[in-house]
Amino acid sequence: MTYQGLIQRYGHFLDLPAHTKTISLLEGNTPLIPMPRLSAELDCELFIKFEGLNPTGSFKDRGMTSAISEAVGRGAQTVICASTGNTAASAAAYAARAGVRAIVLIPEGKVAAGKLAGAIAYGAEVIQIQGSFDDALALVVEITQKTPIALVNSINPFRIEGQKTAAFEICDELGSAPDWLCLPVGNAGNITSYWAGFKQYQKGLPQLLGVQAAGAAPLVLGQAVEKPETIATAIRIGRPARGEQALAAAQESNGKISAVSDEQILAAQKILAEEGVWVEPASAAGLAGLLAESAVGKFEARGRRVVVVCTGHGMKDPAIIADSFAAPRIIPASYAALLGLIGA
Ligand SMILES: *Cc1c(COP(=O)(O)O)cnc(C)c1O
């Protein structure tokens, strides 16, 4: 049967109301890519769940198909979200597909170009507020409590329902849950969803390694971070909406939440690209965390099956790369000049 999207494939596992009207862009069904070189290095079996291959370039599409389908089914005419970028692009695309109005609130500065462009291309009304992501989220919560506008941030329970499908896909592909699942943690909706998904699917439970950026690590510090700072803009969040659930999931799984520096994140991004997988910085945090933990011997990867979730595509944040590379070399359009430059 041809693929028709996540609600069609896994809807019977998702707690969605009867009024849900499926809006899909054939999201999900993303590849679990074996990483032979990294596997050899860590002496384990390592896979990347490459969520950057979703329709709008991040895992956010999994929860957005369910959240927008529910909202539209109940008659919502307008949806709103606060976003560091990927939620905005995803909400904009699914709202466009459904023919409803999308409003997105982004924090001041530091929203990656590819994400903002996406939200605008899909026709969302983008509003930048003079404040942080956390301020933006507080505003959308207030407006959706006082008006009929529907909230599609991951505090919307239907986002979590849709995002569980990534855990189902991994189990279906591997035959069971992996030993470890490593992923970035920002607002903590995704780690919450994976854990709920693995528990529900009953194909075994992984230990979870949730990874925050050191400059935005409230779950490691045990307190909110007023001015979160990191190049990994998708996880630049100081007050995670589902922080308690993330901590509970990590603990229940006998895993942990750790923090890595921006340097470690960029190094992991480079390692992934060298094996053919280009992800945005936040998406490399899972691998950075795994490498850091295995280096100090706290996490024994040896002999284990490990899935590292790469949440968004590298093309979302081209500036991170463009800012650091040397300009291409310029030569005359002649064979001799080309051969002279590259050698034979
Ligand atoms: C949203 C996002 C995250 C963080 O996910 P949470 O559910 O907020 O923890 C990580 N990486 C990327 C690319 C994202 O878009």
Side-chain angles (χ1 to χ4, degrees):
M1 195 175 54
T2 52
Y3 185 69
Q4 291 174 47
L6 289 174
I7 294 179
Q8 195 270 343
R9 180 166 178 196
Y10 290 116
H12 51 297
F13 289 106
L14 307 182
D15 189 7
L16 299 175
H19 64 244
T20 301
K21 176 175 177 284
T22 300
I23 306 292
S24 175
L25 288 164
L26 310 193
E27 58 293 315
N29 203 20
T30 56
L32 195 60
I33 307 177
M35 303 296 276
R37 273 185 249 155
L38 266 170
S39 297
E41 224 161 276
L42 295 171
D43 197 12
C44 69
E45 197 184 353
L46 192 139
F47 299 87
I48 297 297
K49 178 70 170 162
F50 193 17
E51 291 289 279
L53 296 182
N54 273 294
T56 78
S58 84
F59 79 86
K60 298 296 198 299
D61 295 341
R62 291 183 185 275
M64 208 52 79
T65 184
S66 47
I68 299 274
S69 295
E70 186 281 328
V72 167
R74 112 175 97 87
Q77 301 286 318
T78 304
V79 300
I80 194 168
C81 65
S83 176
T84 60
N86 283 330
T87 299
S90 185
Y94 284 83
R97 188 80 178 174
V100 301
R101 185 177 172 202
I103 302 169
V104 305
L105 261 59
I106 56 172
E108 199 167 31
K110 300 226 178 125
V111 169
K115 302 179 186 181
L116 197 52
I120 293 166
Y122 298 121
E125 293 161 55
V126 179
I127 302 166
Q128 187 155 45
I129 62 149
Q130 294 170 323
S132 66
F133 168 85
D134 306 285
D135 298 327
L137 185 60
L139 280 172
V140 302
V141 167
E142 186 177 353
I143 203 164
T144 53
Q145 279 166 352
K146 295 177 177 168
T147 72
I149 298 174
L151 175 127
V152 294
N153 276 102
S154 62
I155 41 181
N156 175 327
F158 306 114
R159 281 277 305 274
I160 301 301
E161 286 302 309
Q163 286 175 202
K164 292 189 308 195
T165 57
F168 303 162
E169 285 179 11
I170 291 171
C171 290
D172 284 345
E173 191 105 359
L174 296 178
S176 66
D179 297 312
W180 276 84
L181 185 90
C182 311
L183 78 171
V185 173
N187 221 15
N190 209 27
I191 191 170
T192 300
S193 306
Y194 269 100
W195 188 238
F198 282 118
K199 285 204 290 193
Q200 182 183 351
Y201 219 52
Q202 300 190 347
K203 296 256 175 78
L205 295 172
Q207 289 174 269
L208 300 176
L209 177 63
V211 187
Q212 301 205 288
L219 301 181
V220 177
L221 299 172
Q223 63 186 57
V225 174
E226 288 312 322
K227 286 197 167 33
E229 271 312 328
T230 168
I231 45 100
T233 52
I235 52 174
R236 196 165 71 106
I237 292 171
R239 214 177 278 279
R242 293 188 183 269
E244 294 300 320
Q245 283 161 282
L247 289 168
Q251 195 182 13
E252 256 185 72
S253 79
N254 195 26
K256 69 183 283 193
I257 309 277
S258 69
V260 291
S261 68
D262 281 3
E263 291 70 33
Q264 287 172 303
I265 288 173
L266 291 173
Q269 183 191 36
K270 190 151 181 269
I271 290 168
L272 287 164
E274 283 168 355
E275 208 159 340
V277 180
W278 182 30
V279 307
E280 68 167 276
S283 303
L287 178 64
L290 172 65
L291 294 174
E293 291 295 318
S294 58
V296 294
K298 284 198 196 124
F299 164 67
E300 190 53 73
R302 186 159 302 141
R304 299 295 187 87
R305 193 145 68 163
V306 181
V307 170
V308 173
V309 181
C310 287
T311 43
H313 203 286
M315 285 188 243
K316 289 279 192 167
D317 195 355
I320 285 284
I321 307 297
D323 289 351
S324 66
F325 67 38
R329 283 190 277 183
I330 300 172
I331 59 166
S334 84
Y335 179 76
L338 177 62
L339 193 63
L341 184 68
I342 66 178

